[in-house]
Structure formats: C-alpha cells, structure tokens
C-alpha cells in the first residue's frame, strides 16, 4: 500500500508496507472511527516522528509506549505534547533531569519537535490510541511495525544512542545490536518511578559524550 511517509523511511520500510498485516492497521482505525470512536493523534500526524526525523538523520532513539490519549495532546512524537498543552508529569520529570544533568532551564511548553529535527527519533511502540483508553491499539499491528523499525535502525545504521526508559522500553533491547550502538537504560520518568533511578541517570550528557566520541554532532537539548 502507498503510505504517506518521508522518503528515506519509505525506502527502508517498503517491504513492511506490503506485508499482509499492515493494511489491517488503517482498516482497524477506519472501522473504529465509523463507530464514533475518537483516535489520537490526527491522521496527518500518525507518522510525524518519521516525517520530522528522516532515517538518514537518526542519531538517538527515545522509545515510548503509546500516544497520549487526552484531547489535543498527542502529535506523533513520544513524550511530546503540542504547544498550549501543559507538559504531562513524565515530561516534566524529563525536563527536571535535563536541568540537573546539563543545566538547561525547564521550558514553558512540552513540544519536543526541536529534538526531532536534530535526529532524536521520538518513537511510540503504538502510533495511535483511542481517546481515554491507553494501550487500546497495542495489538492492532503497530508493535510488529515498530519492532521492525527498531531492528532496521539497528541493522542499517551505526553509533545510534537508544534511550530505554522503563520496563516496556527495555524489553526492546533484544532488537538492538549493542556491538555498534549505545543503549542507556533507566526506570520510567513517571512520578511513580522517577526517584528509583531516572533522576540522576545523566542520559542527556552521556548521549552527547558518546555522539561526540564518534565524530557526530551532539544534540542541543534546549527548547
């Protein structure tokens, strides 16, 4: 099927789009919409992470579970919210760690597009969700697709930093070749767990140290 996605991603994922499971995803979403369900993010933003961070530009991968399920929050970048939407608690904790780690002031918004434009691929394992129902699209095919995305990055690129926060993200470790990439792991930045190891993990400075050591431009984490 013809998927509207940035060209470099289309090239490396074209075989995936032709597999039998993939057309079932938009069919499932279309069916739910016809039943009056609200789906986030809007259709034009489902592949926002891919369109904002081309495959050729990926330096860092941050993995989330699924999109925010509240009105106006999700816009296709994990942990990020649209301008005008208050940063959710996990994102606030990310900003707190960022401030403690490298001294960047906590921004007055939660839009992470600036990171994505520099090569921070903000991938959710599920790319859509029903309003008010977290994990509601976890089993409609997205996991198979995004696992392939992670494996493709691992196989076809080198010196990528993977930030795996929380048990769910860390389960994806098996998809990554650690001999040519850096994996940084911690508990989730959620208020329920952040004090158990996310605060003080220094993942932002460690990411930039690694990239610099490989001759790759570091990330400007300021927003």
């Amino acid at each position: 099927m013809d998927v509207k996605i940035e060209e470099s991603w289309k090239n490396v994922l074209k075989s995936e789009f032709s597999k039998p499971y993939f057309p079932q995803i938009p069919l499932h979403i279309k069916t739910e919409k016809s039943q009056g369900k609200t789906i986030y993010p809007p259709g034009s933003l489902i592949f926002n992470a891919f369109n904002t961070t081309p495959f050729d530009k990926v330096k860092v991968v941050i993995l989330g579970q699924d999109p925010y399920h509240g009105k106006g929050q999700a816009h296709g970048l994990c942990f990020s919210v649209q301008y005008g939407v208050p940063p959710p608690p996990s994102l606030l904790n990310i900003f707190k760690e960022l401030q403690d780690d490298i001294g960047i002031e906590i921004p007055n918004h939660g839009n992470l597009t600036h990171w994505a434009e520099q090569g921070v691929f903000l991938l959710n394992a599920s790319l859509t969700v029903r309003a008010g129902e977290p994990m509601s699209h976890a089993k409609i095919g997205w996991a198979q697709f995004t696992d392939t995305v992670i494996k493709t990055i691992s196989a076809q690129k080198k010196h990528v930093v993977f930030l795996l926060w929380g048990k769910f993200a860390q389960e994806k470790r098996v998809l990554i070749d650690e001999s040519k990439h850096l994996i940084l792991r911690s508990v989730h930045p959620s208020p329920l767990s952040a004090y158990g190891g996310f605060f003080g993990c220094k993942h932002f400075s460690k990411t930039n140290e690694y990239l610099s050591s490989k001759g790759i431009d570091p990330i400007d984490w300021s927003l």
Side-chain angles (χ1 to χ4, degrees):
M1 62 182 296
D2 184 35
V3 178
K4 292 178 181 174
I5 193 171
E6 190 276 331
E7 202 61 32
S8 64
W9 282 110
K10 186 173 253 188
N11 289 337
V12 296
L13 296 172
K14 56 189 173 190
S15 63
E16 207 63 20
F17 297 137
S18 63
K19 290 182 179 177
Y21 84 91
F22 194 84
Q24 297 303 311
I25 299 174
L27 184 62
H28 187 102
I29 293 169
K30 190 176 180 181
T31 300
E32 288 196 354
K33 284 183 174 180
S34 72
Q35 296 168 347
K37 305 285 188 184
T38 299
I39 309 298
Y40 296 130
S44 62
L45 294 175
I46 290 174
F47 291 108
N48 193 22
F50 298 81
N51 295 332
T52 310
T53 312
F55 179 76
D56 305 336
K57 305 290 186 186
V58 174
K59 301 178 182 180
V60 180
V61 177
I62 299 179
L63 188 66
Q65 201 156 340
D66 68 338
Y68 294 120
H69 52 85
K71 185 177 181 179
Q73 291 181 302
H75 64 130
L77 306 177
C78 77
F79 290 106
S80 181
V81 289
Q82 305 199 55
Y83 289 113
V85 177
S90 292
L91 182 54
L92 278 177
N93 285 340
I94 290 170
F95 291 156
K96 287 176 185 175
E97 174 57 24
L98 190 57
Q99 185 177 44
D100 290 344
D101 184 8
I102 52 180
I104 288 176
E105 288 297 315
I106 295 175
N108 60 4
H109 64 88
N111 191 314
L112 305 182
T113 299
H114 179 57
W115 294 2
E117 290 171 343
Q118 298 177 75
V120 181
F121 186 47
L122 298 167
L123 178 67
N124 276 314
S126 296
L127 299 188
T128 57
V129 69
R130 282 196 303 271
E133 298 183 52
M135 300 299 290
S136 49
H137 283 180
K139 295 180 180 178
I140 70 169
W142 284 130
Q144 184 173 342
F145 175 67
T146 55
D147 279 359
T148 299
V149 170
I150 295 167
K151 286 188 281 190
T152 301
I153 294 170
S154 176
Q156 297 192 28
K157 296 183 74 72
K158 59 183 179 179
H159 308 321
V160 174
V161 182
F162 290 84
L163 302 181
L164 305 183
W165 298 335
K167 183 174 180 290
F168 176 85
Q170 289 177 30
E171 288 172 351
K172 305 298 183 179
R173 184 179 181 180
V174 296
L175 307 174
I176 304 160
D177 182 350
E178 293 188 63
S179 71
K180 60 176 186 167
H181 302 290
L182 176 65
I183 295 178
L184 296 175
R185 295 178 294 151
S186 84
V187 298
H188 196 275
S190 156
L192 297 173
S193 56
Y195 286 95
F198 181 77
F199 290 138
C201 70
K202 299 191 179 299
H203 280 185
F204 303 101
S205 59
K206 288 176 180 177
T207 293
N208 279 352
E209 287 164 9
Y210 177 82
L211 293 175
S212 296
S213 76
K214 302 299 182 185
I216 301 167
D217 287 339
I219 304 299
D220 171 12
W221 294 106
S222 63
L223 294 167

